[in-house]
Amino acid sequence: MPEADLLSIRPTLMTSAKPAPILKSSHLLGIEGISAPEVVALLDLAETYATLNRGAEKKTALLKGRTLINLFFEASTRTQSSFELAGKRMGADVLNMSVKTSSVSKGETLIDTAATLHAMRPDILVVRHQDSGAAELLSRKLDCSVVNAGDGQHEHPTQALLDALTIRRHRGSFENLTVAICGDIAHSRVARSNIRLLSMMGAQVRLVAPRTLLPCDVERFGVKVFTDMKAGLAGCDIVMMLRLQLERMTGALVPSAREYFRFYGLDREKLSYAKPGALVMHPGPMNRGVEIASDIADDVDVSLISEQVEMGVAIRMAVLDALSRGMT
Ligand code: ASP
C-alpha cells in the first residue's frame, strides 16, 4: 500500500477521540437484530482493515489493555484463528480456551464456565457452541461483549458479514444480484445468517438442495427454493456452496458422497448453468469431490474462497473495533 494511503488510514484507526458508534447492541449475536445501515458501516470499516492487513505494519493499539477470550466448543480453523489474529493485531490480550483441555470436558456446564470466565473479567468473549442460543445465554450472564462465532444451526454472523464484504468488493452492491446457496441448508448456520443478510441488503437469494437437506420450515425464509441444480443456478451471479454437515445429521440424508456429487456437487458443467462470469464461494471447511470439484475451488478466476478467508480477518477486526466503541 502506498505510504500516503497508510497515513490517511492510521489516524482514523488510532485516534484517541471516541469514534462514532456503529452497533446499537454491545453484542453481536446474529444478523437478526442488526440493521442494513449497521451492516454497511461494518463493511466500510472492514475495508479500512483489509487495506491495513495488506500493508507491512498491521498493528493498531485500539484494543490495548483489553482481554479477548476465544471459547470454542466446536472445531474451528478459520473463525478461531482469524479472531485470534484480529485481537492480536489490535493490541488485545487474547486467550484461546480449548474446550478439550478445559473442565468443560469433565462435565462443567455452560453456566459454570460462564461464571469462571466472568471472574477473569474479559472485555470480549467470542463463543462457538453446538447449541443454538448458547451465545445469547452467555450474553445475559456476563458483563462483557459476546460475539457469536456459530451456535448450532442458528447463526454465524461474522461469516455472513465476511461473505457480504467479499461479494461487495467484486460486484459493488447487492441489488440486482442473485445468490444461490447450495447444499446442506438444513444444518447450516452460515445459510441462515446469509439468507438474512443478503435479503436485507436487497439481493435475490435462492436455496438449492435435495429435499432431505432443506429445513422443514423452509418457506419461512421467504426465498425461492429449488431441488434441481440446473434450474437453481440458471442466471445467478454468485454460487455459494455448503459442506455436508455429517456431524449434525442423525441419519443418512444422502445416498452416498458419490451420488451427492453427481447431482449437487459443483463442477464445470453445473457452473455453466449460472451467469457467465459467476463467482463461487464456500465458507470452509470444503469436502473436495463431495460438494465442490477441486478444479473449481482452486480456479482463481472463479473462486473467492481464499479472499473469503482474508476478508474474515478484516471483518473480525471491524467487529471488535465496533464493539470496543461502546466500552467504558
Ligand atoms: N465453518 C462453517 C461453520 O462453522 C461452515 C461449516 O462448518 O461447514 O458453520
Side-chain angles (χ1 to χ4, degrees), residues 74-79 128 149-150 152 155-156 159 187-191 242-245 247-248 282-286 291:
E74 280 188 343
S76 169
T77 308
R78 283 149 288 268
T79 307
R128 169 170 289 186
E155 281 238 34
H156 191 352
Q159 177 72 48
H187 301 99
S188 177
R189 51 199 177 204
V190 173
L242 299 173
R243 181 176 68 92
L244 278 183
Q245 305 219 355
E247 75 277 21
R248 296 191 209 286
H282 193 306
M286 268 185 286
E291 71 266 358

Side-chain angles (χ1 to χ4, degrees), residues 151-220:
D151 62 331
Q153 296 165 201
H154 178 227
E155 281 238 34
H156 191 352
T158 57
Q159 177 72 48
L161 286 163
L162 77 87
D163 289 342
L165 180 62
T166 309
I167 293 173
R168 198 179 74 166
R169 286 166 70 91
H170 286 267
R171 291 291 186 253
S173 81
F174 301 95
E175 268 133 49
N176 306 320
L177 218 61
T178 304
V179 182
I181 305 179
C182 313
D184 186 359
I185 314 284
H187 301 99
S188 177
R189 51 199 177 204
V190 173
R192 284 170 180 74
S193 289
N194 263 309
I195 294 166
R196 287 197 172 100
L197 193 153
L198 292 167
S199 306
M200 174 164 71
M201 302 309 288
Q204 300 297 316
V205 180
R206 298 175 182 178
L207 304 180
V208 189
R211 251 176 230 299
T212 48
L213 294 180
L214 285 168
C216 37
D217 58 348
V218 70
E219 51 304 320
R220 207 172 50 87

